[in-house]
Amino acid sequence: MRELTYLRPEDPAAAVAAVSGDPEARFLAGGTNLVDHLKLGVARPATLVDVSRLPMEEVEDLTDAGGSPTGLRIGANVRNSDLAADRRVRERFPVVARALLAGASGQIRNQATTAGNLLQRTRCVYFQDVTTPCNKREPGTGCSAVGGYGRYNAVLGASAECVTVHPSDLAVALAAVDATVVVLGPDGERRLPVAELHRLPGDRPQDDTTLRHGELITAVELPDSPGARRSGYYKARDRASFAFALVSVAAALDLADDGTVRDARIVWGGVAHKPWRATRAEELLRGRVPDEEAVRAAARAELADAVTDDQTAYKTTMVEGATVLVLDRLRQGGPR
């Protein structure tokens, strides 16, 4: 058994100080991902800093100077099940509720936290098998997924160093509603768009996010918008529950009175090392009626740079069809 130092700080600043001062320390919240990796030998921290009891468990309305709601602030420790059940989330950000309910199982959603969900590590079989080379787990050893079992591999934004995908459903949904991540670090608090939280692998696949060591996510902020209210999520997977996405689509749609797209947010999961914002497709759809022909053309334009093989060729067809499905539902009847 490997010995660990276990700390339970009293406030977020103390937690940040504990981790930032120790390169071998890690934050521990719900533990649904990290504890698995401790058991597998994938993660071997010397110190665990438990943040699960810190006061970051509220969902609060953001308001303007007049007291009118402008969005929601979600504490980092809000459990997935509680967030999915929150009436304000279901009414104002249905894509978030649906993505949460598509993830894991009821038991895990009762334990998993908002910040922890965003910081999940890949479920690539080679990353989780310490007997195989993996650049993400041990930089410089190689990528076993290249030329190996690759059904879940990325088709966009991959590199020769890593072809894995990001597993979070929630991250895909939050990117579709322009969420902001609130981060506390040794130098104070900063905010960054959730779309900038995760990164493509490049030549540093070991770095999943743009966070610096010791930075702690304390909250996520969701701005109200017409698109957020007309939003939805679809996840294609091997079984009906407790399975990661083969591909997923989160979309938020703001329609003009004549049915044309005033604005759109389209984000794909299961296709890249991070939630993939389909900006090229969004641009092609603005000012158009999002019927099947227009959506398929926009999706194909976004997929123009996709790199596939015999194992992953299905992903381009599947994500195109899922995008058509989600946007048609939103166009016809609102949130689905």
Side-chain angles (χ1 to χ4, degrees):
M1 181 178 292
R2 188 166 184 263
E3 291 188 0
L4 287 166
T5 298
Y6 174 80
L7 303 176
R8 189 187 294 173
E10 295 183 354
D11 56 58
V16 168
V19 173
S20 61
D22 181 353
E24 299 299 318
R26 294 279 301 275
F27 293 117
L28 172 69
T32 58
N33 193 204
L34 179 57
V35 171
D36 281 347
H37 288 166
L38 291 171
K39 293 176 181 177
L40 292 169
V42 172
R44 300 178 64 83
T47 302
L48 290 180
V49 178
D50 189 346
V51 298
S52 64
R53 293 169 176 81
L54 296 182
M56 302 184 294
E57 298 180 330
E58 300 296 325
V59 180
E60 305 169 290
D61 277 305
L62 298 172
T63 58
D64 60 20
S68 299
T70 59
L72 291 178
R73 179 184 172 94
I74 302 165
N77 281 338
V78 174
R79 305 293 166 166
N80 287 180
S81 54
D82 293 334
L83 186 59
D86 190 285
R87 176 183 54 79
R88 294 163 295 179
V89 175
R90 295 169 71 92
E91 291 178 356
R92 291 152 61 182
F93 304 94
V95 64
V96 173
R98 290 189 173 276
L100 286 166
L101 293 173
S105 66
Q107 294 92 332
I108 289 179
R109 291 195 294 270
N110 287 339
Q111 183 72 12
T113 64
T114 298
N117 194 298
L118 293 178
L119 299 178
Q120 290 181 80
R121 305 212 71 190
T122 180
R123 300 298 201 210
C124 176
V125 295
Y126 300 106
F127 173 74
Q128 297 189 106
D129 181 355
V130 295
T131 68
T132 62
C134 172
N135 286 324
K136 180 175 283 295
R137 192 181 64 249
E138 296 181 65
T141 60
C143 178
S144 296
V146 175
Y149 176 75
R151 187 164 177 260
Y152 282 84
N153 287 355
V155 297
L156 291 166
S159 72
E161 304 297 322
C162 183
V163 294
T164 191
V165 299
H166 185 69
S168 171
D169 294 292
L170 178 60
V172 179
L174 291 178
V177 294
D178 294 328
T180 296
V181 179
V182 184
V183 178
L184 181 65
D187 299 323
E189 187 176 271
R190 69 185 180 105
R191 285 170 162 76
L192 70 157
V194 73
E196 297 177 12
L197 174 64
H198 303 97
R199 57 181 299 279
L200 296 177
D203 59 1
R204 292 186 294 114
Q206 67 273 20
D207 295 332
D208 296 338
T209 73
T210 58
L211 296 181
R212 297 184 285 270
H213 182 72
E215 287 192 313
L216 175 69
I217 295 177
T218 58
V220 177
E221 295 179 345
L222 281 58
D224 283 321
S225 70
R229 284 186 175 271
R230 185 187 288 266
S231 61
Y233 185 77
Y234 178 79
K235 177 179 181 177
R237 47 189 164 176
D238 282 329
R239 55 181 184 265
S241 67
F242 204 57
F244 292 94
L246 297 171
V247 302
S248 64
V249 176
L253 199 58
D254 181 10
L255 295 177
D257 292 341
D258 62 358
T260 59
V261 175
R262 184 183 289 117
D263 200 7
R265 297 289 185 272
I266 302 170
V267 186
W268 293 338
V271 299
H273 195 257
K274 60 180 288 185
W276 186 269
R277 176 78 180 273
T279 53
R280 192 181 305 177
E282 294 170 2
E283 182 61 32
L284 288 172
L285 287 172
R286 291 189 181 100
R288 300 193 60 183
V289 174
D291 56 21
E292 180 175 350
E293 181 181 0
V295 175
R296 284 195 183 277
R300 287 171 182 168
E302 187 69 40
L303 290 164
D305 297 327
V307 177
T308 64
D309 57 23
D310 290 344
Q311 295 188 71
T312 57
Y314 77 92
K315 287 201 172 193
T316 56
T317 302
M318 187 175 284
V319 79
E320 177 187 323
T323 305
V324 170
L325 174 66
V326 173
L327 265 65
D328 183 64
R329 287 176 172 177
L330 296 179
R331 179 172 71 97
Q332 298 289 346
R336 294 290 179 87

